[in-house]
Amino acid sequence: MSRIQRTSQMTSRHWEDILEEFLRFKLLNGIAKTTHKDYIRTVNLLFKRFPDAWGSYYKLEEAVIDHLNQEGIAPATFNSRLTYLRTFFKWCVEEGHLKKNPLTKIKKRKEGSRIVAISIETLQELIRVPDQSTFVGMRDYTLIIFTLDTGIRPSEALALQPNDFNLISGWVRIPDGAAKTRVSRTLNISPVTVDALKRLIDMRPRSWANKVPVFSTETGNVLNRHTWGDRLERHS
């Protein structure tokens, strides 16, 4: 990867070209698809809100500070923006596109506990909501109990193919390509979850075979974690 000569401020190249180069570098080093999308979303949001931010280092510095100080921003959102932008700018500095990283000294904010106590009765009500007579309802029901059973991340679950499951022995393999940590692992699944998975897979068209993820849309398209989050919120 060629380096450009470092200037006193920043490169004259457009930020979109630099982002594309950065993403090629990250993909070469094996980042997950969801992480790739998060970089695109996060960086694009900054420059959508502050179109002139790449005009000079000082404009960029003001823009990122204002962006992180957005009114009402949750600590989790603040930390997510900070992480992705700081990593991108760090690479820009290493490649000579910026004189320094404007987020080097910014610290993450403390987040509240993400552990929520939910009663058994509430969970029982939740899993009764999806209509198991339809493919979508059966998919939602199965994905809910699969998540409760294993604690798997939504992005990992939504990437699983039928051959990642061993329903006879009761386990699922999270392949390294789907794993958030990029390291494959195996999780045990309960008989109740196995039964639900069998019923869901039986409802799939035979033509889908192992070409379509287990937790897909009813038309065989990939179900993304944001759409699933919306559906889970409606069920809740």
Side-chain angles (χ1 to χ4, degrees), residues 35-87:
T35 304
H36 177 264
K37 291 179 180 178
D38 285 339
Y39 272 117
I40 295 174
R41 176 179 53 80
T42 304
V43 177
N44 274 277
L45 178 61
L46 170 66
F47 291 108
K48 180 180 180 180
R49 295 190 66 216
F50 302 93
D52 299 328
W54 199 250
S56 71
Y57 175 80
Y58 302 104
K59 287 184 178 180
L60 179 66
E61 188 175 41
E62 289 181 357
V64 294
I65 297 302
D66 288 345
H67 188 50
L68 292 177
N69 280 330
Q70 182 179 1
E71 185 177 356
I73 188 171
T77 303
F78 177 95
N79 293 339
S80 176
R81 289 181 182 180
L82 176 62
T83 298
Y84 287 112
L85 291 173
R86 183 158 57 194
T87 302

Short mmCIF file of all heavy atoms in Angstrom, two decimals, residues 35-87:
data_model
loop_
_atom_site.label_atom_id
_atom_site.label_comp_id
_atom_site.label_asym_id
_atom_site.label_seq_id
_atom_site.Cartn_x
_atom_site.Cartn_y
_atom_site.Cartn_z
N THR A 35 -18.80 -5.64 11.04
CA THR A 35 -17.86 -4.59 11.40
C THR A 35 -17.58 -3.69 10.20
O THR A 35 -17.49 -2.46 10.33
CB THR A 35 -16.54 -5.19 11.91
OG1 THR A 35 -16.81 -6.07 13.00
CG2 THR A 35 -15.57 -4.11 12.38
N HIS A 36 -17.45 -4.31 9.04
CA HIS A 36 -17.25 -3.56 7.78
C HIS A 36 -18.39 -2.58 7.57
O HIS A 36 -18.18 -1.39 7.26
CB HIS A 36 -17.15 -4.56 6.63
CG HIS A 36 -17.02 -3.93 5.28
ND1 HIS A 36 -18.11 -3.72 4.45
CD2 HIS A 36 -15.93 -3.46 4.61
CE1 HIS A 36 -17.69 -3.14 3.33
NE2 HIS A 36 -16.39 -2.97 3.40
N LYS A 37 -19.63 -3.04 7.76
CA LYS A 37 -20.80 -2.18 7.58
C LYS A 37 -20.84 -1.08 8.63
O LYS A 37 -21.25 0.05 8.35
CB LYS A 37 -22.07 -3.01 7.64
CG LYS A 37 -22.25 -3.95 6.45
CD LYS A 37 -23.52 -4.77 6.59
CE LYS A 37 -23.70 -5.71 5.40
NZ LYS A 37 -24.92 -6.55 5.56
N ASP A 38 -20.41 -1.41 9.86
CA ASP A 38 -20.42 -0.42 10.94
C ASP A 38 -19.43 0.71 10.66
O ASP A 38 -19.70 1.87 10.99
CB ASP A 38 -20.10 -1.08 12.27
CG ASP A 38 -21.28 -1.90 12.81
OD1 ASP A 38 -22.41 -1.63 12.37
OD2 ASP A 38 -21.05 -2.79 13.64
N TYR A 39 -18.28 0.38 10.08
CA TYR A 39 -17.32 1.42 9.71
C TYR A 39 -17.94 2.35 8.67
O TYR A 39 -17.85 3.58 8.78
CB TYR A 39 -16.04 0.81 9.14
CG TYR A 39 -15.00 0.46 10.18
CD1 TYR A 39 -14.59 -0.86 10.39
CD2 TYR A 39 -14.39 1.46 10.94
CE1 TYR A 39 -13.63 -1.17 11.34
CE2 TYR A 39 -13.44 1.16 11.90
CZ TYR A 39 -13.05 -0.16 12.09
OH TYR A 39 -12.11 -0.47 13.03
N ILE A 40 -18.57 1.77 7.66
CA ILE A 40 -19.18 2.58 6.60
C ILE A 40 -20.26 3.48 7.19
O ILE A 40 -20.30 4.69 6.91
CB ILE A 40 -19.79 1.66 5.52
CG1 ILE A 40 -18.69 0.88 4.80
CG2 ILE A 40 -20.60 2.48 4.51
CD1 ILE A 40 -19.21 -0.14 3.81
N ARG A 41 -21.12 2.90 8.01
CA ARG A 41 -22.22 3.67 8.61
C ARG A 41 -21.71 4.79 9.50
O ARG A 41 -22.19 5.93 9.43
CB ARG A 41 -23.12 2.71 9.41
CG ARG A 41 -24.24 3.39 10.17
CD ARG A 41 -25.08 2.36 10.92
NE ARG A 41 -24.26 1.49 11.75
CZ ARG A 41 -23.80 1.84 12.95
NH1 ARG A 41 -24.09 3.05 13.45
NH2 ARG A 41 -23.08 0.99 13.66
N THR A 42 -20.72 4.49 10.33
CA THR A 42 -20.22 5.47 11.30
C THR A 42 -19.49 6.63 10.63
O THR A 42 -19.73 7.80 10.96
CB THR A 42 -19.28 4.79 12.31
OG1 THR A 42 -19.96 3.70 12.94
CG2 THR A 42 -18.81 5.78 13.37
N VAL A 43 -18.61 6.32 9.71
CA VAL A 43 -17.85 7.39 9.04
C VAL A 43 -18.75 8.22 8.15
O VAL A 43 -18.66 9.46 8.12
CB VAL A 43 -16.67 6.79 8.22
CG1 VAL A 43 -15.94 7.90 7.46
CG2 VAL A 43 -15.70 6.04 9.14
N ASN A 44 -19.67 7.56 7.44
CA ASN A 44 -20.59 8.31 6.57
C ASN A 44 -21.50 9.23 7.38
O ASN A 44 -21.82 10.32 6.92
CB ASN A 44 -21.43 7.34 5.73
CG ASN A 44 -20.74 6.92 4.46
OD1 ASN A 44 -20.78 7.62 3.45
ND2 ASN A 44 -20.09 5.78 4.49
N LEU A 45 -21.90 8.78 8.56
CA LEU A 45 -22.76 9.62 9.39
C LEU A 45 -22.05 10.91 9.80
O LEU A 45 -22.65 11.99 9.79
CB LEU A 45 -23.19 8.85 10.64
CG LEU A 45 -24.07 9.64 11.64
CD1 LEU A 45 -25.37 10.09 10.99
CD2 LEU A 45 -24.36 8.78 12.87
N LEU A 46 -20.76 10.79 10.14
CA LEU A 46 -20.00 11.98 10.52
C LEU A 46 -20.00 13.01 9.41
O LEU A 46 -20.31 14.19 9.63
CB LEU A 46 -18.56 11.59 10.87
CG LEU A 46 -17.58 12.77 11.05
CD1 LEU A 46 -17.95 13.60 12.27
CD2 LEU A 46 -16.15 12.26 11.15
N PHE A 47 -19.68 12.57 8.19
CA PHE A 47 -19.56 13.52 7.08
C PHE A 47 -20.91 13.93 6.50
O PHE A 47 -21.00 14.92 5.78
CB PHE A 47 -18.63 12.95 6.01
CG PHE A 47 -17.20 12.88 6.47
CD1 PHE A 47 -16.62 11.65 6.76
CD2 PHE A 47 -16.46 14.03 6.64
CE1 PHE A 47 -15.30 11.59 7.20
CE2 PHE A 47 -15.15 13.98 7.09
CZ PHE A 47 -14.57 12.75 7.38
N LYS A 48 -21.95 13.17 6.81
CA LYS A 48 -23.29 13.59 6.43
C LYS A 48 -23.72 14.76 7.31
O LYS A 48 -24.33 15.72 6.83
CB LYS A 48 -24.27 12.43 6.58
CG LYS A 48 -25.71 12.78 6.21
CD LYS A 48 -26.64 11.59 6.37
CE LYS A 48 -28.07 11.95 5.98
NZ LYS A 48 -28.99 10.78 6.15
N ARG A 49 -23.37 14.68 8.60
CA ARG A 49 -23.72 15.75 9.54
C ARG A 49 -22.81 16.97 9.37
O ARG A 49 -23.23 18.10 9.59
CB ARG A 49 -23.63 15.25 10.98
CG ARG A 49 -24.65 14.18 11.33
CD ARG A 49 -24.66 13.92 12.82
NE ARG A 49 -25.13 15.08 13.56
CZ ARG A 49 -24.66 15.46 14.74
NH1 ARG A 49 -23.70 14.77 15.33
NH2 ARG A 49 -25.13 16.53 15.34
N PHE A 50 -21.54 16.71 8.97
CA PHE A 50 -20.56 17.80 8.83
C PHE A 50 -19.86 17.67 7.48
O PHE A 50 -18.73 17.17 7.40
CB PHE A 50 -19.55 17.75 9.98
CG PHE A 50 -20.17 17.85 11.34
CD1 PHE A 50 -20.50 16.69 12.05
CD2 PHE A 50 -20.43 19.08 11.92
CE1 PHE A 50 -21.07 16.77 13.31
CE2 PHE A 50 -21.01 19.16 13.18
CZ PHE A 50 -21.34 18.01 13.88
N PRO A 51 -20.52 18.07 6.39
CA PRO A 51 -19.99 17.89 5.04
C PRO A 51 -18.63 18.54 4.80
O PRO A 51 -17.87 18.09 3.93
CB PRO A 51 -21.06 18.53 4.15
CG PRO A 51 -22.30 18.55 4.99
CD PRO A 51 -21.83 18.74 6.39
N ASP A 52 -18.32 19.61 5.53
CA ASP A 52 -17.06 20.34 5.31
C ASP A 52 -15.95 19.90 6.26
O ASP A 52 -14.88 20.53 6.29
CB ASP A 52 -17.30 21.85 5.49
CG ASP A 52 -18.31 22.40 4.50
OD1 ASP A 52 -18.36 21.87 3.36
OD2 ASP A 52 -19.06 23.33 4.86
N ALA A 53 -16.18 18.83 7.00
CA ALA A 53 -15.22 18.42 8.03
C ALA A 53 -13.86 18.04 7.47
O ALA A 53 -12.84 18.19 8.15
CB ALA A 53 -15.79 17.25 8.83
N TRP A 54 -13.82 17.55 6.24
CA TRP A 54 -12.54 17.11 5.66
C TRP A 54 -11.79 18.27 5.02
O TRP A 54 -10.76 18.11 4.40
CB TRP A 54 -12.78 15.99 4.65
CG TRP A 54 -11.58 15.17 4.32
CD1 TRP A 54 -10.90 15.15 3.14
CD2 TRP A 54 -10.88 14.24 5.18
NE1 TRP A 54 -9.84 14.28 3.20
CE2 TRP A 54 -9.81 13.70 4.45
CE3 TRP A 54 -11.07 13.82 6.49
CZ2 TRP A 54 -8.93 12.76 4.98
CZ3 TRP A 54 -10.20 12.88 7.02
CH2 TRP A 54 -9.15 12.37 6.28
N GLY A 55 -12.30 19.49 5.19
CA GLY A 55 -11.66 20.64 4.57
C GLY A 55 -10.32 20.97 5.18
O GLY A 55 -9.40 21.44 4.49
N SER A 56 -10.16 20.77 6.47
CA SER A 56 -8.89 21.00 7.15
C SER A 56 -8.88 20.21 8.44
O SER A 56 -9.94 19.76 8.90
CB SER A 56 -8.70 22.49 7.47
OG SER A 56 -9.58 22.89 8.51
N TYR A 57 -7.70 20.06 9.03
CA TYR A 57 -7.62 19.30 10.28
C TYR A 57 -8.46 19.97 11.37
O TYR A 57 -9.13 19.31 12.15
CB TYR A 57 -6.17 19.18 10.75
CG TYR A 57 -6.09 18.52 12.10
CD1 TYR A 57 -6.17 17.14 12.22
CD2 TYR A 57 -6.00 19.28 13.27
CE1 TYR A 57 -6.15 16.53 13.47
CE2 TYR A 57 -5.97 18.69 14.52
CZ TYR A 57 -6.04 17.30 14.61
OH TYR A 57 -6.03 16.71 15.84
N TYR A 58 -8.43 21.28 11.41
CA TYR A 58 -9.14 22.00 12.46
C TYR A 58 -10.65 21.86 12.31
O TYR A 58 -11.38 21.75 13.30
CB TYR A 58 -8.71 23.47 12.45
CG TYR A 58 -7.23 23.60 12.65
CD1 TYR A 58 -6.38 23.90 11.58
CD2 TYR A 58 -6.66 23.39 13.91
CE1 TYR A 58 -5.00 23.99 11.76
CE2 TYR A 58 -5.29 23.47 14.10
CZ TYR A 58 -4.46 23.77 13.02
OH TYR A 58 -3.11 23.84 13.20
N LYS A 59 -11.14 21.85 11.06
CA LYS A 59 -12.58 21.61 10.84
C LYS A 59 -12.95 20.18 11.26
O LYS A 59 -14.01 19.95 11.83
CB LYS A 59 -12.92 21.83 9.37
CG LYS A 59 -12.94 23.28 8.92
CD LYS A 59 -13.38 23.39 7.47
CE LYS A 59 -13.44 24.84 7.03
NZ LYS A 59 -13.87 24.98 5.61
N LEU A 60 -12.06 19.25 10.96
CA LEU A 60 -12.30 17.86 11.33
C LEU A 60 -12.35 17.71 12.84
O LEU A 60 -13.22 17.03 13.38
CB LEU A 60 -11.21 16.96 10.74
CG LEU A 60 -11.33 15.47 11.06
CD1 LEU A 60 -12.58 14.87 10.42
CD2 LEU A 60 -10.09 14.71 10.58
N GLU A 61 -11.42 18.35 13.51
CA GLU A 61 -11.35 18.27 14.96
C GLU A 61 -12.63 18.82 15.59
O GLU A 61 -13.21 18.21 16.51
CB GLU A 61 -10.14 19.03 15.47
CG GLU A 61 -9.86 18.85 16.95
CD GLU A 61 -8.57 19.53 17.36
OE1 GLU A 61 -8.32 20.66 16.87
OE2 GLU A 61 -7.82 18.94 18.16
N GLU A 62 -13.09 19.97 15.10
CA GLU A 62 -14.32 20.56 15.62
C GLU A 62 -15.52 19.67 15.33
O GLU A 62 -16.40 19.50 16.18
CB GLU A 62 -14.54 21.94 15.00
CG GLU A 62 -13.56 23.00 15.49
CD GLU A 62 -13.85 24.36 14.86
OE1 GLU A 62 -14.77 24.41 14.00
OE2 GLU A 62 -13.19 25.34 15.22
N ALA A 63 -15.54 19.09 14.13
CA ALA A 63 -16.67 18.26 13.71
C ALA A 63 -16.81 17.01 14.57
O ALA A 63 -17.91 16.67 15.02
CB ALA A 63 -16.54 17.87 12.24
N VAL A 64 -15.70 16.31 14.81
CA VAL A 64 -15.79 15.07 15.58
C VAL A 64 -16.17 15.35 17.03
O VAL A 64 -16.89 14.56 17.65
CB VAL A 64 -14.48 14.25 15.50
CG1 VAL A 64 -14.24 13.75 14.09
CG2 VAL A 64 -13.29 15.02 16.01
N ILE A 65 -15.69 16.45 17.57
CA ILE A 65 -16.06 16.80 18.95
C ILE A 65 -17.55 17.12 19.03
O ILE A 65 -18.25 16.65 19.94
CB ILE A 65 -15.22 17.99 19.46
CG1 ILE A 65 -13.73 17.61 19.50
CG2 ILE A 65 -15.71 18.43 20.83
CD1 ILE A 65 -13.41 16.41 20.37
N ASP A 66 -18.05 17.91 18.07
CA ASP A 66 -19.48 18.22 18.05
C ASP A 66 -20.31 16.95 17.82
O ASP A 66 -21.39 16.79 18.39
CB ASP A 66 -19.79 19.23 16.94
CG ASP A 66 -19.28 20.63 17.28
OD1 ASP A 66 -18.97 20.87 18.46
OD2 ASP A 66 -19.20 21.46 16.35
N HIS A 67 -19.79 16.08 16.97
CA HIS A 67 -20.49 14.83 16.65
C HIS A 67 -20.63 13.96 17.90
O HIS A 67 -21.70 13.40 18.17
CB HIS A 67 -19.71 14.09 15.57
CG HIS A 67 -20.40 12.89 15.02
ND1 HIS A 67 -21.70 12.91 14.56
CD2 HIS A 67 -19.96 11.60 14.84
CE1 HIS A 67 -22.04 11.70 14.13
NE2 HIS A 67 -21.01 10.90 14.30
N LEU A 68 -19.56 13.86 18.67
CA LEU A 68 -19.60 13.04 19.88
C LEU A 68 -20.38 13.71 21.01
O LEU A 68 -20.87 13.04 21.92
CB LEU A 68 -18.18 12.73 20.35
CG LEU A 68 -17.37 11.79 19.44
CD1 LEU A 68 -15.95 11.63 19.98
CD2 LEU A 68 -18.04 10.43 19.35
N ASN A 69 -20.48 15.03 20.94
CA ASN A 69 -21.23 15.77 21.97
C ASN A 69 -22.68 16.01 21.57
O ASN A 69 -23.35 16.86 22.15
CB ASN A 69 -20.56 17.13 22.23
CG ASN A 69 -19.36 17.00 23.16
OD1 ASN A 69 -19.31 16.11 24.00
ND2 ASN A 69 -18.38 17.87 22.98
N GLN A 70 -23.16 15.26 20.59
CA GLN A 70 -24.54 15.41 20.14
C GLN A 70 -25.50 15.30 21.33
O GLN A 70 -25.36 14.41 22.18
CB GLN A 70 -24.87 14.34 19.10
CG GLN A 70 -26.28 14.44 18.53
CD GLN A 70 -26.54 13.36 17.49
OE1 GLN A 70 -25.68 12.53 17.21
NE2 GLN A 70 -27.72 13.37 16.92
N GLU A 71 -26.44 16.18 21.38
CA GLU A 71 -27.37 16.21 22.51
C GLU A 71 -28.15 14.91 22.63
O GLU A 71 -28.68 14.39 21.64
CB GLU A 71 -28.36 17.38 22.35
CG GLU A 71 -29.29 17.57 23.53
CD GLU A 71 -30.20 18.78 23.36
OE1 GLU A 71 -30.04 19.51 22.36
OE2 GLU A 71 -31.07 18.98 24.23
N GLY A 72 -28.21 14.38 23.85
CA GLY A 72 -28.98 13.17 24.09
C GLY A 72 -28.32 11.87 23.68
O GLY A 72 -28.95 10.81 23.76
N ILE A 73 -27.06 11.93 23.27
CA ILE A 73 -26.38 10.71 22.81
C ILE A 73 -26.17 9.75 23.98
O ILE A 73 -25.74 10.16 25.06
CB ILE A 73 -25.04 11.05 22.14
CG1 ILE A 73 -24.42 9.81 21.48
CG2 ILE A 73 -24.06 11.69 23.11
CD1 ILE A 73 -23.19 10.12 20.63
N ALA A 74 -26.49 8.49 23.77
CA ALA A 74 -26.33 7.48 24.82
C ALA A 74 -24.85 7.09 24.93
O ALA A 74 -24.11 7.15 23.95
CB ALA A 74 -27.16 6.25 24.49
N PRO A 75 -24.40 6.71 26.13
CA PRO A 75 -23.00 6.29 26.29
C PRO A 75 -22.58 5.19 25.31
O PRO A 75 -21.46 5.22 24.79
CB PRO A 75 -22.95 5.80 27.75
CG PRO A 75 -24.03 6.56 28.43
CD PRO A 75 -25.12 6.69 27.42
N ALA A 76 -23.46 4.24 25.06
CA ALA A 76 -23.12 3.14 24.14
C ALA A 76 -22.90 3.67 22.73
O ALA A 76 -21.99 3.23 22.02
CB ALA A 76 -24.22 2.08 24.15
N THR A 77 -23.74 4.62 22.31
CA THR A 77 -23.59 5.21 20.98
C THR A 77 -22.32 6.05 20.91
O THR A 77 -21.58 6.00 19.92
CB THR A 77 -24.81 6.10 20.65
OG1 THR A 77 -25.99 5.30 20.74
CG2 THR A 77 -24.70 6.67 19.25
N PHE A 78 -22.06 6.82 21.97
CA PHE A 78 -20.83 7.61 22.06
C PHE A 78 -19.61 6.71 21.91
O PHE A 78 -18.70 6.99 21.12
CB PHE A 78 -20.78 8.34 23.40
CG PHE A 78 -19.52 9.13 23.64
CD1 PHE A 78 -19.47 10.49 23.35
CD2 PHE A 78 -18.39 8.52 24.17
CE1 PHE A 78 -18.31 11.23 23.57
CE2 PHE A 78 -17.23 9.24 24.39
CZ PHE A 78 -17.18 10.60 24.09
N ASN A 79 -19.58 5.62 22.65
CA ASN A 79 -18.43 4.71 22.63
C ASN A 79 -18.27 4.02 21.30
O ASN A 79 -17.14 3.78 20.85
CB ASN A 79 -18.56 3.68 23.76
CG ASN A 79 -18.46 4.32 25.13
OD1 ASN A 79 -17.92 5.41 25.29
ND2 ASN A 79 -18.98 3.64 26.14
N SER A 80 -19.37 3.68 20.67
CA SER A 80 -19.31 3.04 19.35
C SER A 80 -18.73 3.98 18.31
O SER A 80 -17.83 3.62 17.55
CB SER A 80 -20.71 2.58 18.93
OG SER A 80 -20.69 2.04 17.63
N ARG A 81 -19.23 5.22 18.28
CA ARG A 81 -18.70 6.22 17.35
C ARG A 81 -17.22 6.46 17.60
O ARG A 81 -16.41 6.52 16.66
CB ARG A 81 -19.47 7.53 17.49
CG ARG A 81 -20.88 7.50 16.98
CD ARG A 81 -21.55 8.87 17.16
NE ARG A 81 -22.94 8.85 16.72
CZ ARG A 81 -23.76 9.90 16.76
NH1 ARG A 81 -23.31 11.07 17.23
NH2 ARG A 81 -25.00 9.81 16.34
N LEU A 82 -16.87 6.60 18.87
CA LEU A 82 -15.49 6.87 19.23
C LEU A 82 -14.56 5.75 18.76
O LEU A 82 -13.50 6.01 18.19
CB LEU A 82 -15.38 7.04 20.75
CG LEU A 82 -13.97 7.24 21.32
CD1 LEU A 82 -13.34 8.51 20.77
CD2 LEU A 82 -14.02 7.27 22.85
N THR A 83 -14.97 4.51 18.99
CA THR A 83 -14.13 3.37 18.63
C THR A 83 -13.87 3.30 17.13
O THR A 83 -12.72 3.17 16.69
CB THR A 83 -14.79 2.06 19.10
OG1 THR A 83 -14.91 2.08 20.52
CG2 THR A 83 -13.96 0.85 18.69
N TYR A 84 -14.93 3.38 16.34
CA TYR A 84 -14.77 3.25 14.88
C TYR A 84 -14.04 4.43 14.27
O TYR A 84 -13.16 4.26 13.43
CB TYR A 84 -16.14 3.06 14.22
CG TYR A 84 -16.74 1.69 14.46
CD1 TYR A 84 -17.87 1.52 15.25
CD2 TYR A 84 -16.16 0.56 13.90
CE1 TYR A 84 -18.41 0.27 15.47
CE2 TYR A 84 -16.69 -0.71 14.12
CZ TYR A 84 -17.82 -0.84 14.90
OH TYR A 84 -18.35 -2.09 15.12
N LEU A 85 -14.40 5.64 14.71
CA LEU A 85 -13.74 6.83 14.15
C LEU A 85 -12.28 6.91 14.56
O LEU A 85 -11.41 7.25 13.75
CB LEU A 85 -14.49 8.09 14.58
CG LEU A 85 -15.88 8.29 13.96
CD1 LEU A 85 -16.58 9.49 14.59
CD2 LEU A 85 -15.79 8.46 12.44
N ARG A 86 -12.00 6.60 15.82
CA ARG A 86 -10.61 6.67 16.28
C ARG A 86 -9.73 5.68 15.53
O ARG A 86 -8.60 5.99 15.17
CB ARG A 86 -10.55 6.42 17.78
CG ARG A 86 -9.13 6.55 18.35
CD ARG A 86 -9.14 6.82 19.84
NE ARG A 86 -9.85 5.80 20.59
CZ ARG A 86 -10.23 5.95 21.86
NH1 ARG A 86 -9.98 7.07 22.50
NH2 ARG A 86 -10.86 4.99 22.49
N THR A 87 -10.26 4.48 15.28
CA THR A 87 -9.49 3.48 14.53
C THR A 87 -9.25 3.94 13.10
O THR A 87 -8.14 3.78 12.56
CB THR A 87 -10.24 2.14 14.52
OG1 THR A 87 -10.46 1.70 15.86
CG2 THR A 87 -9.45 1.08 13.78
#
